Amino acid sequence: MSETGQIGSANPETICAGAGVAADKAHASVAPPLHLSANYAFADPTEKPPFDYSRSGNPTRAQLERALADLEGAASGVITASGMAALDLVLCLAKPGELVLAPHDCYGGTHRLLNARANRGHFELAFVDQTDPIALKAAFESKPKLVLIETPSNPLLRITDISACVALAKACGAITVADNTFLSPALQRPLDLGVDVVVHSTTKFINGHSDVVGGAVLARDAELGEELAWWANCTGVTGAPFDSFLTLRGLRTLFPRIERQQATAGRVVEALAADARVAKVFYPGLTSHPGHNIARTQQKGFGSMFSVEFVEGVDAVELLRRLSIFTIAESLGGFESLVCVPATMTHAAMTPEARAEAGISDRLVRFSIGLEHEEDLVRDIFAALDFAGDGVNDGQVFETKPLGSKAVKQCA
Ligand SMILES: *Cc1c(COP(=O)(O)O)cnc(C)c1O
């Protein structure tokens, strides 16, 4: 085993369980030590050691970089301070005048970052519905330099055909970047489908314990990996060693967490989809989902995220208030089940017009399923729904006030 704890071409479960394990040469510690040092001694002024300064390289961060690169099938990786830092690092690849093509329904913070950078003239920017093959093909006529893919998308779980997107990008020499946060390498490996760079918010499934904000950029090709590492050192977006230490700890249980959370999500979706108060469930595992067949081919599973649009008369705000196991919070992919209203929370950074364009209604509720027992989660949702949706079946429809106002239902 190497100093980064790499175990060659092992199965991904083994890479996770063994990340950084028994790699310590100083004391033979089984769990890896945490290297907090900012700097490293030179044996000789003319010989640069493997690590010299922790902004450019750190042994603890290198273990996480290696593990994630192996899991995604990448040549190398850069661990960043956050998912946004990872995306911003990738945007260093685009010059003024070059076009960045992004999905119209990308993560709210990504939408804001892209607009903010484009407004400063760092690059040209276009958004497109990547699930619409005609619109996508038309968008490629403008010859983008960088194509950002996010599938499944947030919060509507739209599925983009990665291979089709890559084929269009290859034809015009564009670099493809996939945000793989929603599935993690346990369920999707975009580099295998020809994508050049994968980015992650490791804050979500990869750490999985909701106690670290972090990101990763993983490049299929060594040369592009070096360019990204150069920019990471230049701009200083690299992650803190302690964050890498915690994220490595979280990563070891990635597979059992994902498998359990996904199985539970499937059961909760089934229960919800059968209820008359539910207008629509957005989950790629449902055969009715428009991206179901693509998801089946490019994913190893459907994940543990889904969104729900309730019928008119169900007060989404009241529903959230009545939930007791689900915590009302942004973020996703942790051990704990979360619920949010994207319009006022995760996607508040988008203008109402951009949200409407992306199909994100004010009544949409997003769920992230954790490690609690499925029976308890289903019971929690249905108990809340009995309060929030009691105007549906008796024909009385509540006057729903705009989200954000304290007003709730008007008639009992
Ligand atoms: C959370 C998230 C990000 C941003 O990551 P941070 O770690 O919060 O900076 C980017 N993309 C997606 C899909 C996310 O869910």
Side-chain angles (χ1 to χ4, degrees), residues 357-379:
E357 172 85 16
I360 303 164
S361 91
D362 286 358
R363 286 186 296 127
L364 191 75
V365 177
R366 189 189 79 181
F367 293 88
S368 173
I369 298 298
L371 290 168
E372 304 87 350
H373 198 286
E374 65 191 47
E375 279 172 16
D376 298 324
L377 295 179
V378 169
R379 200 181 312 119

mmCIF file with all atom_site columns, all heavy atoms in Angstrom, residues 357-379:
data_model
loop_
_atom_site.group_PDB
_atom_site.id
_atom_site.type_symbol
_atom_site.label_atom_id
_atom_site.label_alt_id
_atom_site.label_comp_id
_atom_site.label_asym_id
_atom_site.label_entity_id
_atom_site.label_seq_id
_atom_site.pdbx_PDB_ins_code
_atom_site.Cartn_x
_atom_site.Cartn_y
_atom_site.Cartn_z
_atom_site.occupancy
_atom_site.B_iso_or_equiv
_atom_site.pdbx_formal_charge
_atom_site.auth_seq_id
_atom_site.auth_comp_id
_atom_site.auth_asym_id
_atom_site.auth_atom_id
_atom_site.pdbx_PDB_model_num
ATOM 1   N N   . GLU A 1 357 ? -38.696 29.444 -15.280 1.00 0.00 ? 357 GLU A N   1
ATOM 2   C CA  . GLU A 1 357 ? -38.082 28.890 -16.484 1.00 0.00 ? 357 GLU A CA  1
ATOM 3   C C   . GLU A 1 357 ? -37.584 27.467 -16.226 1.00 0.00 ? 357 GLU A C   1
ATOM 4   O O   . GLU A 1 357 ? -37.681 26.583 -17.070 1.00 0.00 ? 357 GLU A O   1
ATOM 5   C CB  . GLU A 1 357 ? -36.918 29.822 -16.888 1.00 0.00 ? 357 GLU A CB  1
ATOM 6   C CG  . GLU A 1 357 ? -36.016 29.340 -18.002 1.00 0.00 ? 357 GLU A CG  1
ATOM 7   C CD  . GLU A 1 357 ? -36.564 29.669 -19.386 1.00 0.00 ? 357 GLU A CD  1
ATOM 8   O OE1 . GLU A 1 357 ? -37.465 30.515 -19.459 1.00 0.00 ? 357 GLU A OE1 1
ATOM 9   O OE2 . GLU A 1 357 ? -36.093 29.062 -20.359 1.00 0.00 ? 357 GLU A OE2 1
ATOM 10  N N   . ALA A 1 358 ? -37.045 27.252 -15.022 1.00 0.00 ? 358 ALA A N   1
ATOM 11  C CA  . ALA A 1 358 ? -36.507 25.933 -14.665 1.00 0.00 ? 358 ALA A CA  1
ATOM 12  C C   . ALA A 1 358 ? -37.587 24.988 -14.150 1.00 0.00 ? 358 ALA A C   1
ATOM 13  O O   . ALA A 1 358 ? -37.309 23.827 -13.845 1.00 0.00 ? 358 ALA A O   1
ATOM 14  C CB  . ALA A 1 358 ? -35.395 26.104 -13.634 1.00 0.00 ? 358 ALA A CB  1
ATOM 15  N N   . GLY A 1 359 ? -38.817 25.474 -14.036 1.00 0.00 ? 359 GLY A N   1
ATOM 16  C CA  . GLY A 1 359 ? -39.926 24.609 -13.614 1.00 0.00 ? 359 GLY A CA  1
ATOM 17  C C   . GLY A 1 359 ? -40.024 24.388 -12.113 1.00 0.00 ? 359 GLY A C   1
ATOM 18  O O   . GLY A 1 359 ? -40.613 23.416 -11.653 1.00 0.00 ? 359 GLY A O   1
ATOM 19  N N   . ILE A 1 360 ? -39.427 25.318 -11.339 1.00 0.00 ? 360 ILE A N   1
ATOM 20  C CA  . ILE A 1 360 ? -39.440 25.169 -9.878  1.00 0.00 ? 360 ILE A CA  1
ATOM 21  C C   . ILE A 1 360 ? -40.569 26.020 -9.305  1.00 0.00 ? 360 ILE A C   1
ATOM 22  O O   . ILE A 1 360 ? -40.453 27.230 -9.188  1.00 0.00 ? 360 ILE A O   1
ATOM 23  C CB  . ILE A 1 360 ? -38.075 25.599 -9.281  1.00 0.00 ? 360 ILE A CB  1
ATOM 24  C CG1 . ILE A 1 360 ? -36.947 24.778 -9.915  1.00 0.00 ? 360 ILE A CG1 1
ATOM 25  C CG2 . ILE A 1 360 ? -38.079 25.457 -7.766  1.00 0.00 ? 360 ILE A CG2 1
ATOM 26  C CD1 . ILE A 1 360 ? -35.558 25.359 -9.694  1.00 0.00 ? 360 ILE A CD1 1
ATOM 27  N N   . SER A 1 361 ? -41.672 25.364 -8.963  1.00 0.00 ? 361 SER A N   1
ATOM 28  C CA  . SER A 1 361 ? -42.824 26.103 -8.453  1.00 0.00 ? 361 SER A CA  1
ATOM 29  C C   . SER A 1 361 ? -42.657 26.372 -6.958  1.00 0.00 ? 361 SER A C   1
ATOM 30  O O   . SER A 1 361 ? -41.851 25.746 -6.281  1.00 0.00 ? 361 SER A O   1
ATOM 31  C CB  . SER A 1 361 ? -44.119 25.322 -8.704  1.00 0.00 ? 361 SER A CB  1
ATOM 32  O OG  . SER A 1 361 ? -44.407 24.493 -7.599  1.00 0.00 ? 361 SER A OG  1
ATOM 33  N N   . ASP A 1 362 ? -43.454 27.317 -6.453  1.00 0.00 ? 362 ASP A N   1
ATOM 34  C CA  . ASP A 1 362 ? -43.407 27.645 -5.024  1.00 0.00 ? 362 ASP A CA  1
ATOM 35  C C   . ASP A 1 362 ? -43.952 26.512 -4.163  1.00 0.00 ? 362 ASP A C   1
ATOM 36  O O   . ASP A 1 362 ? -43.759 26.492 -2.956  1.00 0.00 ? 362 ASP A O   1
ATOM 37  C CB  . ASP A 1 362 ? -44.222 28.923 -4.759  1.00 0.00 ? 362 ASP A CB  1
ATOM 38  C CG  . ASP A 1 362 ? -43.501 30.170 -5.255  1.00 0.00 ? 362 ASP A CG  1
ATOM 39  O OD1 . ASP A 1 362 ? -42.367 30.038 -5.755  1.00 0.00 ? 362 ASP A OD1 1
ATOM 40  O OD2 . ASP A 1 362 ? -44.078 31.269 -5.144  1.00 0.00 ? 362 ASP A OD2 1
ATOM 41  N N   . ARG A 1 363 ? -44.665 25.575 -4.800  1.00 0.00 ? 363 ARG A N   1
ATOM 42  C CA  . ARG A 1 363 ? -45.279 24.479 -4.032  1.00 0.00 ? 363 ARG A CA  1
ATOM 43  C C   . ARG A 1 363 ? -44.439 23.202 -4.042  1.00 0.00 ? 363 ARG A C   1
ATOM 44  O O   . ARG A 1 363 ? -44.859 22.166 -3.544  1.00 0.00 ? 363 ARG A O   1
ATOM 45  C CB  . ARG A 1 363 ? -46.684 24.185 -4.578  1.00 0.00 ? 363 ARG A CB  1
ATOM 46  C CG  . ARG A 1 363 ? -47.682 25.258 -4.178  1.00 0.00 ? 363 ARG A CG  1
ATOM 47  C CD  . ARG A 1 363 ? -49.081 24.907 -4.578  1.00 0.00 ? 363 ARG A CD  1
ATOM 48  N NE  . ARG A 1 363 ? -49.223 24.834 -6.024  1.00 0.00 ? 363 ARG A NE  1
ATOM 49  C CZ  . ARG A 1 363 ? -49.717 23.792 -6.664  1.00 0.00 ? 363 ARG A CZ  1
ATOM 50  N NH1 . ARG A 1 363 ? -50.104 22.736 -6.003  1.00 0.00 ? 363 ARG A NH1 1
ATOM 51  N NH2 . ARG A 1 363 ? -49.814 23.802 -7.973  1.00 0.00 ? 363 ARG A NH2 1
ATOM 52  N N   . LEU A 1 364 ? -43.259 23.308 -4.620  1.00 0.00 ? 364 LEU A N   1
ATOM 53  C CA  . LEU A 1 364 ? -42.396 22.130 -4.691  1.00 0.00 ? 364 LEU A CA  1
ATOM 54  C C   . LEU A 1 364 ? -41.679 21.909 -3.348  1.00 0.00 ? 364 LEU A C   1
ATOM 55  O O   . LEU A 1 364 ? -41.161 22.851 -2.754  1.00 0.00 ? 364 LEU A O   1
ATOM 56  C CB  . LEU A 1 364 ? -41.352 22.330 -5.793  1.00 0.00 ? 364 LEU A CB  1
ATOM 57  C CG  . LEU A 1 364 ? -40.549 21.083 -6.162  1.00 0.00 ? 364 LEU A CG  1
ATOM 58  C CD1 . LEU A 1 364 ? -41.396 20.130 -6.990  1.00 0.00 ? 364 LEU A CD1 1
ATOM 59  C CD2 . LEU A 1 364 ? -39.298 21.459 -6.950  1.00 0.00 ? 364 LEU A CD2 1
ATOM 60  N N   . VAL A 1 365 ? -41.666 20.644 -2.909  1.00 0.00 ? 365 VAL A N   1
ATOM 61  C CA  . VAL A 1 365 ? -40.982 20.293 -1.658  1.00 0.00 ? 365 VAL A CA  1
ATOM 62  C C   . VAL A 1 365 ? -39.924 19.243 -1.986  1.00 0.00 ? 365 VAL A C   1
ATOM 63  O O   . VAL A 1 365 ? -40.211 18.254 -2.672  1.00 0.00 ? 365 VAL A O   1
ATOM 64  C CB  . VAL A 1 365 ? -41.984 19.723 -0.623  1.00 0.00 ? 365 VAL A CB  1
ATOM 65  C CG1 . VAL A 1 365 ? -41.259 19.301 0.650   1.00 0.00 ? 365 VAL A CG1 1
ATOM 66  C CG2 . VAL A 1 365 ? -43.065 20.749 -0.304  1.00 0.00 ? 365 VAL A CG2 1
ATOM 67  N N   . ARG A 1 366 ? -38.699 19.476 -1.515  1.00 0.00 ? 366 ARG A N   1
ATOM 68  C CA  . ARG A 1 366 ? -37.619 18.527 -1.795  1.00 0.00 ? 366 ARG A CA  1
ATOM 69  C C   . ARG A 1 366 ? -37.259 17.726 -0.540  1.00 0.00 ? 366 ARG A C   1
ATOM 70  O O   . ARG A 1 366 ? -37.146 18.294 0.537   1.00 0.00 ? 366 ARG A O   1
ATOM 71  C CB  . ARG A 1 366 ? -36.381 19.284 -2.292  1.00 0.00 ? 366 ARG A CB  1
ATOM 72  C CG  . ARG A 1 366 ? -35.287 18.365 -2.826  1.00 0.00 ? 366 ARG A CG  1
ATOM 73  C CD  . ARG A 1 366 ? -34.012 19.131 -3.108  1.00 0.00 ? 366 ARG A CD  1
ATOM 74  N NE  . ARG A 1 366 ? -33.265 19.391 -1.894  1.00 0.00 ? 366 ARG A NE  1
ATOM 75  C CZ  . ARG A 1 366 ? -32.104 20.064 -1.855  1.00 0.00 ? 366 ARG A CZ  1
ATOM 76  N NH1 . ARG A 1 366 ? -31.597 20.545 -2.957  1.00 0.00 ? 366 ARG A NH1 1
ATOM 77  N NH2 . ARG A 1 366 ? -31.488 20.260 -0.714  1.00 0.00 ? 366 ARG A NH2 1
ATOM 78  N N   . PHE A 1 367 ? -37.121 16.440 -0.722  1.00 0.00 ? 367 PHE A N   1
ATOM 79  C CA  . PHE A 1 367 ? -36.763 15.562 0.394   1.00 0.00 ? 367 PHE A CA  1
ATOM 80  C C   . PHE A 1 367 ? -35.388 14.933 0.175   1.00 0.00 ? 367 PHE A C   1
ATOM 81  O O   . PHE A 1 367 ? -35.050 14.523 -0.936  1.00 0.00 ? 367 PHE A O   1
ATOM 82  C CB  . PHE A 1 367 ? -37.781 14.418 0.518   1.00 0.00 ? 367 PHE A CB  1
ATOM 83  C CG  . PHE A 1 367 ? -39.166 14.865 0.937   1.00 0.00 ? 367 PHE A CG  1
ATOM 84  C CD1 . PHE A 1 367 ? -40.096 15.248 -0.018  1.00 0.00 ? 367 PHE A CD1 1
ATOM 85  C CD2 . PHE A 1 367 ? -39.529 14.895 2.270   1.00 0.00 ? 367 PHE A CD2 1
ATOM 86  C CE1 . PHE A 1 367 ? -41.384 15.652 0.364   1.00 0.00 ? 367 PHE A CE1 1
ATOM 87  C CE2 . PHE A 1 367 ? -40.800 15.300 2.657   1.00 0.00 ? 367 PHE A CE2 1
ATOM 88  C CZ  . PHE A 1 367 ? -41.734 15.679 1.704   1.00 0.00 ? 367 PHE A CZ  1
ATOM 89  N N   . SER A 1 368 ? -34.602 14.843 1.244   1.00 0.00 ? 368 SER A N   1
ATOM 90  C CA  . SER A 1 368 ? -33.358 14.076 1.232   1.00 0.00 ? 368 SER A CA  1
ATOM 91  C C   . SER A 1 368 ? -33.512 13.014 2.301   1.00 0.00 ? 368 SER A C   1
ATOM 92  O O   . SER A 1 368 ? -33.739 13.327 3.474   1.00 0.00 ? 368 SER A O   1
ATOM 93  C CB  . SER A 1 368 ? -32.173 14.996 1.554   1.00 0.00 ? 368 SER A CB  1
ATOM 94  O OG  . SER A 1 368 ? -30.989 14.221 1.692   1.00 0.00 ? 368 SER A OG  1
ATOM 95  N N   . ILE A 1 369 ? -33.448 11.760 1.883   1.00 0.00 ? 369 ILE A N   1
ATOM 96  C CA  . ILE A 1 369 ? -33.724 10.661 2.814   1.00 0.00 ? 369 ILE A CA  1
ATOM 97  C C   . ILE A 1 369 ? -32.438 10.208 3.512   1.00 0.00 ? 369 ILE A C   1
ATOM 98  O O   . ILE A 1 369 ? -31.424 9.953  2.862   1.00 0.00 ? 369 ILE A O   1
ATOM 99  C CB  . ILE A 1 369 ? -34.391 9.487  2.065   1.00 0.00 ? 369 ILE A CB  1
ATOM 100 C CG1 . ILE A 1 369 ? -35.740 9.933  1.478   1.00 0.00 ? 369 ILE A CG1 1
ATOM 101 C CG2 . ILE A 1 369 ? -34.556 8.275  2.978   1.00 0.00 ? 369 ILE A CG2 1
ATOM 102 C CD1 . ILE A 1 369 ? -36.781 10.386 2.482   1.00 0.00 ? 369 ILE A CD1 1
ATOM 103 N N   . GLY A 1 370 ? -32.528 10.105 4.825   1.00 0.00 ? 370 GLY A N   1
ATOM 104 C CA  . GLY A 1 370 ? -31.371 9.715  5.634   1.00 0.00 ? 370 GLY A CA  1
ATOM 105 C C   . GLY A 1 370 ? -31.420 8.258  6.058   1.00 0.00 ? 370 GLY A C   1
ATOM 106 O O   . GLY A 1 370 ? -31.966 7.411  5.349   1.00 0.00 ? 370 GLY A O   1
ATOM 107 N N   . LEU A 1 371 ? -30.882 8.002  7.226   1.00 0.00 ? 371 LEU A N   1
ATOM 108 C CA  . LEU A 1 371 ? -30.719 6.619  7.693   1.00 0.00 ? 371 LEU A CA  1
ATOM 109 C C   . LEU A 1 371 ? -31.775 6.189  8.713   1.00 0.00 ? 371 LEU A C   1
ATOM 110 O O   . LEU A 1 371 ? -31.658 5.110  9.302   1.00 0.00 ? 371 LEU A O   1
ATOM 111 C CB  . LEU A 1 371 ? -29.322 6.444  8.295   1.00 0.00 ? 371 LEU A CB  1
ATOM 112 C CG  . LEU A 1 371 ? -28.170 6.487  7.283   1.00 0.00 ? 371 LEU A CG  1
ATOM 113 C CD1 . LEU A 1 371 ? -26.825 6.593  7.991   1.00 0.00 ? 371 LEU A CD1 1
ATOM 114 C CD2 . LEU A 1 371 ? -28.189 5.258  6.378   1.00 0.00 ? 371 LEU A CD2 1
ATOM 115 N N   . GLU A 1 372 ? -32.814 6.997  8.901   1.00 0.00 ? 372 GLU A N   1
ATOM 116 C CA  . GLU A 1 372 ? -33.874 6.605  9.836   1.00 0.00 ? 372 GLU A CA  1
ATOM 117 C C   . GLU A 1 372 ? -34.658 5.430  9.240   1.00 0.00 ? 372 GLU A C   1
ATOM 118 O O   . GLU A 1 372 ? -34.562 5.129  8.052   1.00 0.00 ? 372 GLU A O   1
ATOM 119 C CB  . GLU A 1 372 ? -34.834 7.778  10.078  1.00 0.00 ? 372 GLU A CB  1
ATOM 120 C CG  . GLU A 1 372 ? -34.183 9.057  10.589  1.00 0.00 ? 372 GLU A CG  1
ATOM 121 C CD  . GLU A 1 372 ? -33.659 9.956  9.466   1.00 0.00 ? 372 GLU A CD  1
ATOM 122 O OE1 . GLU A 1 372 ? -33.620 9.522  8.297   1.00 0.00 ? 372 GLU A OE1 1
ATOM 123 O OE2 . GLU A 1 372 ? -33.278 11.096 9.767   1.00 0.00 ? 372 GLU A OE2 1
ATOM 124 N N   . HIS A 1 373 ? -35.491 4.803  10.068  1.00 0.00 ? 373 HIS A N   1
ATOM 125 C CA  . HIS A 1 373 ? -36.298 3.680  9.568   1.00 0.00 ? 373 HIS A CA  1
ATOM 126 C C   . HIS A 1 373 ? -37.399 4.196  8.641   1.00 0.00 ? 373 HIS A C   1
ATOM 127 O O   . HIS A 1 373 ? -38.049 5.198  8.933   1.00 0.00 ? 373 HIS A O   1
ATOM 128 C CB  . HIS A 1 373 ? -36.906 2.915  10.744  1.00 0.00 ? 373 HIS A CB  1
ATOM 129 C CG  . HIS A 1 373 ? -37.366 1.538  10.344  1.00 0.00 ? 373 HIS A CG  1
ATOM 130 N ND1 . HIS A 1 373 ? -38.504 1.328  9.593   1.00 0.00 ? 373 HIS A ND1 1
ATOM 131 C CD2 . HIS A 1 373 ? -36.822 0.320  10.554  1.00 0.00 ? 373 HIS A CD2 1
ATOM 132 C CE1 . HIS A 1 373 ? -38.649 0.033  9.369   1.00 0.00 ? 373 HIS A CE1 1
ATOM 133 N NE2 . HIS A 1 373 ? -37.635 -0.607 9.939   1.00 0.00 ? 373 HIS A NE2 1
ATOM 134 N N   . GLU A 1 374 ? -37.616 3.476  7.549   1.00 0.00 ? 374 GLU A N   1
ATOM 135 C CA  . GLU A 1 374 ? -38.596 3.923  6.550   1.00 0.00 ? 374 GLU A CA  1
ATOM 136 C C   . GLU A 1 374 ? -40.004 4.101  7.121   1.00 0.00 ? 374 GLU A C   1
ATOM 137 O O   . GLU A 1 374 ? -40.729 5.016  6.745   1.00 0.00 ? 374 GLU A O   1
ATOM 138 C CB  . GLU A 1 374 ? -38.627 2.953  5.362   1.00 0.00 ? 374 GLU A CB  1
ATOM 139 C CG  . GLU A 1 374 ? -39.113 1.564  5.710   1.00 0.00 ? 374 GLU A CG  1
ATOM 140 C CD  . GLU A 1 374 ? -38.889 0.541  4.580   1.00 0.00 ? 374 GLU A CD  1
ATOM 141 O OE1 . GLU A 1 374 ? -37.783 0.508  4.047   1.00 0.00 ? 374 GLU A OE1 1
ATOM 142 O OE2 . GLU A 1 374 ? -39.839 -0.189 4.273   1.00 0.00 ? 374 GLU A OE2 1
ATOM 143 N N   . GLU A 1 375 ? -40.390 3.205  8.049   1.00 0.00 ? 375 GLU A N   1
ATOM 144 C CA  . GLU A 1 375 ? -41.754 3.296  8.621   1.00 0.00 ? 375 GLU A CA  1
ATOM 145 C C   . GLU A 1 375 ? -41.943 4.623  9.343   1.00 0.00 ? 375 GLU A C   1
ATOM 146 O O   . GLU A 1 375 ? -43.004 5.236  9.263   1.00 0.00 ? 375 GLU A O   1
ATOM 147 C CB  . GLU A 1 375 ? -41.970 2.164  9.636   1.00 0.00 ? 375 GLU A CB  1
ATOM 148 C CG  . GLU A 1 375 ? -42.325 0.845  9.007   1.00 0.00 ? 375 GLU A CG  1
ATOM 149 C CD  . GLU A 1 375 ? -42.342 -0.283 10.037  1.00 0.00 ? 375 GLU A CD  1
ATOM 150 O OE1 . GLU A 1 375 ? -42.384 0.003  11.256  1.00 0.00 ? 375 GLU A OE1 1
ATOM 151 O OE2 . GLU A 1 375 ? -42.308 -1.448 9.601   1.00 0.00 ? 375 GLU A OE2 1
ATOM 152 N N   . ASP A 1 376 ? -40.916 5.033  10.065  1.00 0.00 ? 376 ASP A N   1
ATOM 153 C CA  . ASP A 1 376 ? -41.014 6.284  10.822  1.00 0.00 ? 376 ASP A CA  1
ATOM 154 C C   . ASP A 1 376 ? -41.103 7.477  9.881   1.00 0.00 ? 376 ASP A C   1
ATOM 155 O O   . ASP A 1 376 ? -41.853 8.423  10.128  1.00 0.00 ? 376 ASP A O   1
ATOM 156 C CB  . ASP A 1 376 ? -39.821 6.434  11.770  1.00 0.00 ? 376 ASP A CB  1
ATOM 157 C CG  . ASP A 1 376 ? -39.786 5.303  12.800  1.00 0.00 ? 376 ASP A CG  1
ATOM 158 O OD1 . ASP A 1 376 ? -40.875 4.879  13.229  1.00 0.00 ? 376 ASP A OD1 1
ATOM 159 O OD2 . ASP A 1 376 ? -38.686 4.842  13.134  1.00 0.00 ? 376 ASP A OD2 1
ATOM 160 N N   . LEU A 1 377 ? -40.340 7.432  8.792   1.00 0.00 ? 377 LEU A N   1
ATOM 161 C CA  . LEU A 1 377 ? -40.363 8.548  7.835   1.00 0.00 ? 377 LEU A CA  1
ATOM 162 C C   . LEU A 1 377 ? -41.712 8.648  7.142   1.00 0.00 ? 377 LEU A C   1
ATOM 163 O O   . LEU A 1 377 ? -42.274 9.734  6.997   1.00 0.00 ? 377 LEU A O   1
ATOM 164 C CB  . LEU A 1 377 ? -39.243 8.377  6.800   1.00 0.00 ? 377 LEU A CB  1
ATOM 165 C CG  . LEU A 1 377 ? -37.817 8.457  7.355   1.00 0.00 ? 377 LEU A CG  1
ATOM 166 C CD1 . LEU A 1 377 ? -36.801 8.242  6.234   1.00 0.00 ? 377 LEU A CD1 1
ATOM 167 C CD2 . LEU A 1 377 ? -37.562 9.789  8.042   1.00 0.00 ? 377 LEU A CD2 1
ATOM 168 N N   . VAL A 1 378 ? -42.253 7.497  6.728   1.00 0.00 ? 378 VAL A N   1
ATOM 169 C CA  . VAL A 1 378 ? -43.554 7.494  6.049   1.00 0.00 ? 378 VAL A CA  1
ATOM 170 C C   . VAL A 1 378 ? -44.627 8.001  7.019   1.00 0.00 ? 378 VAL A C   1
ATOM 171 O O   . VAL A 1 378 ? -45.453 8.851  6.668   1.00 0.00 ? 378 VAL A O   1
ATOM 172 C CB  . VAL A 1 378 ? -43.894 6.083  5.509   1.00 0.00 ? 378 VAL A CB  1
ATOM 173 C CG1 . VAL A 1 378 ? -45.344 6.004  5.059   1.00 0.00 ? 378 VAL A CG1 1
ATOM 174 C CG2 . VAL A 1 378 ? -42.957 5.718  4.355   1.00 0.00 ? 378 VAL A CG2 1
ATOM 175 N N   . ARG A 1 379 ? -44.589 7.513  8.251   1.00 0.00 ? 379 ARG A N   1
ATOM 176 C CA  . ARG A 1 379 ? -45.582 7.943  9.251   1.00 0.00 ? 379 ARG A CA  1
ATOM 177 C C   . ARG A 1 379 ? -45.487 9.455  9.477   1.00 0.00 ? 379 ARG A C   1
ATOM 178 O O   . ARG A 1 379 ? -46.496 10.145 9.565   1.00 0.00 ? 379 ARG A O   1
ATOM 179 C CB  . ARG A 1 379 ? -45.368 7.180  10.563  1.00 0.00 ? 379 ARG A CB  1
ATOM 180 C CG  . ARG A 1 379 ? -46.598 7.198  11.454  1.00 0.00 ? 379 ARG A CG  1
ATOM 181 C CD  . ARG A 1 379 ? -46.407 6.474  12.781  1.00 0.00 ? 379 ARG A CD  1
ATOM 182 N NE  . ARG A 1 379 ? -45.810 5.151  12.666  1.00 0.00 ? 379 ARG A NE  1
ATOM 183 C CZ  . ARG A 1 379 ? -44.651 4.798  13.222  1.00 0.00 ? 379 ARG A CZ  1
ATOM 184 N NH1 . ARG A 1 379 ? -43.939 5.680  13.913  1.00 0.00 ? 379 ARG A NH1 1
ATOM 185 N NH2 . ARG A 1 379 ? -44.184 3.574  13.085  1.00 0.00 ? 379 ARG A NH2 1
#
